[in-house]
Structure formats: structure tokens, C-alpha cells
């Protein structure tokens, strides 16, 4: 398998301050004060003690990121040793798990005469008011129920759990639970690649070669919503698994480069068993649920051919750091130039 890397920007860029709903970059305290102190004051961080508390949380997050590779590997090994699955079958992708509409969609996209216009004319995919956001069935309801039961069984076990990303507090990293090789990878390569190649060929959709997959959970006394953000991905698939909940739709704005002040956000319905497919750099968020519990499966799909040129998180040519697994989807230059410093990544 191709060796994948992460980008050194991972450690200090795009740190999310949950209390103030703000993403920040931290190189030094003087830089941070200069760049963010006035913004933080306007958001309610007015005293020096509050500011020091923010600095402490940033240092803790940087330390977590620096130790992520080792801790993740340790968790995966422990889970494999001590955790007994409830539904072993959900760990291995089978076509019977997939919605018939998805299979029809994949078959069409793989044909030589497939077009985006044809997809909509044949009503194989639902277009949304947000540009280049598509909705379609992914799984059968029975599989979603089994998967949620498995996730809840794991959640209630004594096995260690990793935080899915910097914005979601509740969820599960699927590579640590053992889903990557036999479920997510074939889903991406066999069933999703024909769609992304047709719909997003201009931003890496035809050459997606790695991913990060996780589930997130929203509940009344836990995370209720997700703030406006973009993903560390070329293409993202967000699948609503269930359970009983009300509200909680997604909303989309402009691309990452468009200021929020110049953006009109659009709400997009997200139905259970269906996926929303969109560009990773398309700004979006999740509205709060008003009751129940909601589980979503997120797949950040990456194209090393695209991100090797420009890290999507820091906007610079990546400096690579060795890591394990799919890491953040960077590889060595395709021309074989390994003379560059090998050290960029954000989760």
C-alpha cells in the first residue's frame, strides 16, 4: 500500500475553541494575542484569567495532537484484544447492506455515457439548493439499525474511545474499531469512486486514494449541533444512520474562501439512510437536534494528487510528517522527488 503522511500544520493550525465557536492558529503566545485577543474580547473573553484558560486549552490540544499517532495505535490494539462485537457481520461490507438506489446509481456512473445531467434526468440523485451538494440513499434501514446497535454496544463497553475530531466530542473513530480494511475501503473504492469521479473530477473525485471515517453522535445532554466549518477532505459523504430525533438538518454556505458576511446559507434536509455528498472545502454545519439521539457516519475522502500540491487546511505546500495508516492522505511527490523535507495535517 502507498505510504501516507500528515502535514506539520496539523499541530498548530485550525484549533477549535468550543466555548467561543472559533478556529485559531497558534504559533506563539505573542502571535496569538496579536491575531485573536480583540476577536476573543468581542466574543466574551474579556479577563486575563479567561485568556489564560484559552491558552491552557490550546496547549492541551497541541499535546493531544502530538500524541495522537501513538495513542490511536494503542487504543486500536486494546480494542482488538478486549472488545467483543455484538454484530460481527457489520464489519464486512456486503452488497445486501446497500440501498438498491445506490447500486443503480453506481452502475449508471460507471457506464461510458454517464453525465451529471443524466443523473438528474433519470432521478438517480437529488440535487440541493446548495451548489454541487447531492443527496441519495446509501444503506438499507435494517443495516443502519444493526450498525447503531453495534456502535451503542461499543460505546457502553470498557474499551478505550478516541475523539472523532476537534469539533465533535461524542463519536467513534472507525479505523480504531476495525472498519477500515473490510468496510470503508471497499465502499470508497467500489461504490463511491464512480460517483465522485463523475461529480467532482475537477477537485480529485476521480483519484480518491485514502479516507478518514468516523461516526458522530448528537444527543440532548451531549453535542447538539456542529458549527460552521470545512473538512480536511477533497470530497465528504455524510450518512444519516438514525435513531429517533427531530430537526438537526445540515446547512451550507459558500466555499472556504468566501467570507461568511458575503454568504447566504441554505438548509438541506438529511433523511435517515441517505447520504449528502459535497466538496470538503464547502463550508457547512449541522443545526441542533431538538429531541432524541442522532448518529451520522462521516467519510472524509482524500486525493493525494490534489493535496500533495496544496494542504487544504493551511493553504500551503505541505511539509510531511510520517504517520500510520491513511494518516491525512498526503504522499511523496508523484515525480518521485523525496529530497523535500518530510513533515501537514489537521483533523
Amino acid at each position: 500500500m502507498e505510504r501516507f503522511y500528515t502535514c506539520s500544520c496539523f499541530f498548530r493550525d485550525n484549533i477549535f475553541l468550543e466555548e467561543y465557536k472559533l478556529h485559531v492558529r497558534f504559533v506563539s503566545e505573542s502571535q496569538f494575542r496579536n491575531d485573536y485577543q480583540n476577536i476573543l474580547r468581542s466574543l466574551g473573553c474579556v479577563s486575563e484569567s479567561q485568556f489564560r484558560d484559552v491558552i491552557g486549552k490550546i496547549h492541551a490540544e497541541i499535546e493531544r495532537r502530538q500524541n495522537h499517532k501513538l495513542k490511536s495505535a494503542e487504543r486500536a490494539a486494546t480494542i482488538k484484544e478486549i472488545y467483543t462485537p455484538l454484530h460481527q457481520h457489520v464489519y464486512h461490507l456486503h452488497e445486501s447492506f446497500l440501498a438498491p438506489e445506490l447500486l443503480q446509481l453506481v452502475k449508471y456512473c460507471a457506464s461510458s455515457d454517464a453525465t451529471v445531467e443524466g443523473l438528474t434526468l433519470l432521478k438517480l440523485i437529488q440535487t440541493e439548493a446548495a451548489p454541487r451538494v447531492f443527496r441519495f440513499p446509501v444503506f438499507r434501514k435494517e443495516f443502519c439499525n444493526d450498525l447503531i446497535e453495534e456502535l451503542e454496544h461499543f460505546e457502553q463497553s470498557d474499551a478505550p474511545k478516541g475523539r472523532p475530531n476537534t469539533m465533535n466530542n461524542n463519536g467513534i473513530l472507525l479505523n480504531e474499531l476495525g472498519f477500515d480494511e473490510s468496510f470503508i475501503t471497499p465502499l470508497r473504492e467500489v461504490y463511491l469512486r464512480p460517483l465522485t469521479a463523475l461529480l467532482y473530477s475537477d477537485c480529485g473525485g476521480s483519484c480518491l486514494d485514502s479516507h478518514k471515517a468516523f461516526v458522530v453522535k448528537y444527543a440532548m445532554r451531549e453535542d447538539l449541533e456542529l458549527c460552521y466549518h470545512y473538512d480536511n477532505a477533497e470530497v465528504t459523504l455524510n450518512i444519516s444512520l438514525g435513531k429517533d430525533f427531530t430537526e438537526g438538518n445540515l446547512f451550507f454556505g459558500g466555499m472556504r474562501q468566501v467570507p461568511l458576511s458575503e454568504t447566504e446559507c441554505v438548509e438541506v434536509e438529511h433523511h435517515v439512510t441517505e447520504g449528502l455528498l459535497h466538496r470538503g472545502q464547502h463550508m457547512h454545519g449541522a443545526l441542533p437536534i431538538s429531541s432524541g439521539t442522532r448518529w451520522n457516519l462521516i467519510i472524509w475522502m482524500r486525493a493525494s494528487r490534489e493535496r500533495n500540491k496544496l494542504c487544504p487546511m493551511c493553504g500551503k505546500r505541505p511539509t510531511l510528517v510520517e504517520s500510520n495508516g491513511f494518516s491525512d492522505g498526503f504522499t511523496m511527490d508523484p515525480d518521485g522527488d523525496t529530497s523535500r523535507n518530510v513533515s501537514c495535517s489537521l483533523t
Side-chain angles (χ1 to χ4, degrees):
M1 188 180 84
E2 176 81 70
R3 181 68 181 270
F4 291 91
Y5 297 84
T6 195
C7 175
S8 59
C9 73
F10 165 67
F11 301 111
R12 296 181 179 273
D13 280 34
N14 213 42
I15 295 172
F16 183 62
L17 303 179
E18 187 170 8
E19 184 177 353
Y20 302 101
K21 311 300 182 189
L22 182 68
H23 285 90
V24 299
R25 178 173 184 262
F26 186 93
V27 176
S28 66
E29 185 170 331
S30 59
Q31 164 269 325
F32 183 76
R33 281 185 182 274
N34 185 60
D35 291 348
Y36 298 107
Q37 190 160 30
N38 289 339
I39 299 172
L40 285 167
R41 280 176 180 156
S42 72
L43 296 172
C45 180
V46 294
S47 69
E48 181 62 19
S49 63
Q50 287 176 305
F51 189 82
R52 300 308 310 173
D53 182 57
V54 168
I55 294 292
K57 290 177 179 178
I58 289 174
H59 282 305
E61 173 60 19
I62 291 172
E63 182 178 3
R64 184 195 71 82
R65 294 182 181 194
Q66 289 171 335
N67 295 326
H68 172 73
K69 173 184 172 182
L70 176 61
K71 295 297 184 183
S72 180
E74 289 176 349
R75 285 193 299 267
T78 302
I79 290 167
K80 187 175 182 179
E81 180 181 351
I82 71 170
Y83 176 65
T84 302
L86 176 67
H87 294 310
Q88 186 67 57
H89 67 279
V90 302
Y91 290 80
H92 302 272
L93 182 64
H94 193 280
E95 206 159 86
S96 63
F97 300 165
L98 304 176
E101 296 90 339
L102 175 64
L103 300 178
Q104 186 181 2
L105 177 58
V106 172
K107 183 177 179 181
Y108 174 80
C109 290
S111 64
S112 58
D113 57 350
T115 64
V116 178
E117 294 75 17
L119 281 175
T120 54
L121 285 172
L122 294 171
K123 297 182 179 180
L124 295 174
I125 201 166
Q126 180 71 43
T127 57
E128 300 296 333
R132 302 185 72 183
V133 175
F134 303 95
R135 178 160 50 90
F136 53 90
V138 178
F139 295 128
R140 294 178 183 266
K141 185 68 166 67
E142 297 78 12
F143 170 75
C144 289
N145 292 339
D146 285 352
L147 181 57
I148 289 176
E149 286 183 3
E150 177 62 33
L151 297 172
E152 291 179 333
H153 181 67
F154 174 73
E155 186 182 44
Q156 292 159 14
S157 75
D158 293 330
K161 287 93 180 172
R163 187 177 178 182
N165 58 65
T166 56
M167 297 182 72
N168 292 102
N169 294 300
N170 303 102
I172 298 165
L173 290 161
L174 292 180
N175 67 307
E176 295 182 1
L177 194 50
F179 275 87
D180 254 7
E181 184 176 346
S182 58
F183 192 103
I184 303 297
T185 294
L187 179 64
R188 169 175 56 81
E189 293 182 345
V190 178
Y191 298 99
L192 299 179
R193 186 181 290 166
L195 281 70
T196 60
L198 180 62
L199 297 172
Y200 304 109
S201 60
D202 58 324
C203 55
S206 60
C207 53
L208 299 171
D209 53 1
S210 69
H211 61 260
K212 176 180 177 179
F214 52 96
V215 291
V216 293
K217 177 188 173 189
Y218 300 91
M220 296 312 295
R221 285 178 290 277
E222 299 175 5
D223 289 338
L224 293 176
E225 60 191 317
L226 189 61
C227 293
Y228 198 54
H229 67 284
Y230 58 91
D231 298 336
N232 185 1
E234 275 62 64
V235 182
T236 294
L237 179 63
N238 184 332
I239 306 164
S240 178
L241 300 174
K243 298 170 63 169
D244 295 329
F245 61 91
T246 53
E247 302 189 55
N249 283 331
L250 271 65
F251 64 95
F252 289 83
M255 294 301 285
R256 173 189 176 185
Q257 300 81 4
V258 181
L260 181 57
S261 59
E262 300 175 14
T263 299
E264 183 176 346
C265 291
V266 176
E267 184 175 345
V268 175
E269 291 187 3
H270 202 187
H271 303 145
V272 172
T273 76
E274 292 186 346
L276 289 172
L277 191 69
H278 61 87
R279 292 162 291 175
Q281 299 291 287
H282 195 160
M283 299 291 293
H284 60 285
L287 296 168
I289 62 169
S290 55
S291 67
T293 301
R294 171 186 171 200
W295 287 91
N296 284 55
L297 167 57
I298 318 293
I299 309 176
W300 289 349
M301 295 178 279
R302 282 107 175 228
S304 60
R305 190 181 302 175
E306 296 294 323
R307 58 184 44 225
N308 286 349
K309 305 169 192 172
L310 196 72
C311 172
M313 304 307 286
C314 66
K316 301 174 183 176
R317 186 172 176 84
T319 304
L320 303 177
V321 175
E322 290 196 21
S323 192
N324 56 348
F326 284 128
S327 191
D328 286 276
F330 299 90
T331 61
M332 286 295 190
D333 285 345
D335 60 7
D337 176 14
T338 57
S339 61
R340 293 172 44 213
N341 232 355
V342 200
S343 18
C344 204
S345 158
L346 292 167
T347 45

